Amino acid sequence: MRDRPVGKTEIPPIGTKKVKSNIAKIEEDLRRAHNKETKGDYQDYDSEMKGASQDFRNTLEELVEQYLLGGVVTRFSREVKTKNLRYLKLVTEDDINFITSLMTKYSYLDHSSPESAGTPKIEYDELLVDLKRVQSWCKEMGHKQNTLE
């Protein structure tokens, strides 16, 4: 017998949380993956890295909502926060290019492609660097947004 409404999950998916908490979870996942690689458990390492990469891609989508769109519109909400429109003027072409390049890089995980094309793998060091770059970018954008408060 069901104990909660249809479609309601116990733990919200990573894309519905704040970017900072998503990043913390991905850092934890990366530590776990690195430990598995160090122990020679490469199959579990690959699985952990795939999951962390997918979570990173979903976090980038959340980042678009929270930072690039300033929370004006978000998934899973009918509300349009017009008071947040002031944040849109902070976004530069460099910001858009930065996020777009990462979205492109990590999009292969969420979109089907021909088997013959293969699926490129993101390795621990590469994802860690991208995660730190995003973390730094979010901090910088957060400071910019705070100047408009």
Side-chain angles (χ1 to χ4, degrees):
M1 188 82 165
R2 204 165 14 102
D3 64 348
R4 62 186 180 279
V6 173
K8 185 168 183 164
T9 60
E10 301 215 7
I11 300 171
I14 196 161
T16 61
K17 298 179 184 177
K18 295 291 181 197
V19 170
K20 286 182 184 179
S21 63
N22 290 352
I23 288 172
K25 182 200 177 295
I26 295 167
E27 286 177 323
E28 183 182 310
D29 293 346
L30 284 175
R31 279 191 292 275
R32 193 169 42 253
H34 187 62
N35 287 339
K36 290 182 182 199
E37 182 185 35
T38 302
K39 292 176 183 175
D41 188 354
Y42 300 114
Q43 187 171 351
D44 282 349
Y45 165 78
D46 287 345
S47 178
E48 290 281 347
M49 286 304 301
K50 182 177 180 179
S53 297
Q54 287 174 320
D55 285 349
F56 184 65
R57 170 64 163 65
N58 292 335
T59 297
L60 291 171
E61 290 178 358
E62 187 73 19
L63 180 149
V64 169
E65 293 175 13
Q66 288 179 29
Y67 292 95
L68 292 185
L69 298 178
V72 174
V73 292
T74 58
R75 289 174 290 178
F76 316 117
S77 175
R78 293 181 182 193
E79 183 180 8
V80 176
K81 297 176 184 171
T82 56
K83 290 182 180 181
N84 289 0
L85 285 170
R86 66 184 185 271
Y87 298 130
L88 297 179
K89 67 183 176 183
L90 299 173
V91 178
T92 67
E93 188 172 344
D94 286 341
D95 295 326
I96 293 168
N97 291 338
F98 172 64
I99 301 306
T100 300
S101 69
L102 288 171
M103 290 289 288
T104 301
K105 179 177 180 179
Y106 287 87
S107 69
Y108 70 89
L109 295 166
D110 286 338
H111 302 287
S112 59
S113 60
E115 254 184 64
S116 61
T119 304
K121 290 182 184 175
I122 302 293
E123 296 296 338
Y124 169 83
D125 292 334
E126 185 177 6
L127 180 51
L128 186 61
V129 166
D130 288 341
L131 190 65
K132 294 299 180 189
R133 288 174 56 214
V134 164
Q135 202 169 26
S136 175
W137 182 89
C138 287
K139 188 175 182 179
E140 182 183 323
M141 184 58 80
H143 288 307
K144 285 184 191 178
Q145 289 178 342
N146 287 337
T147 64
L148 297 179
E149 298 296 324

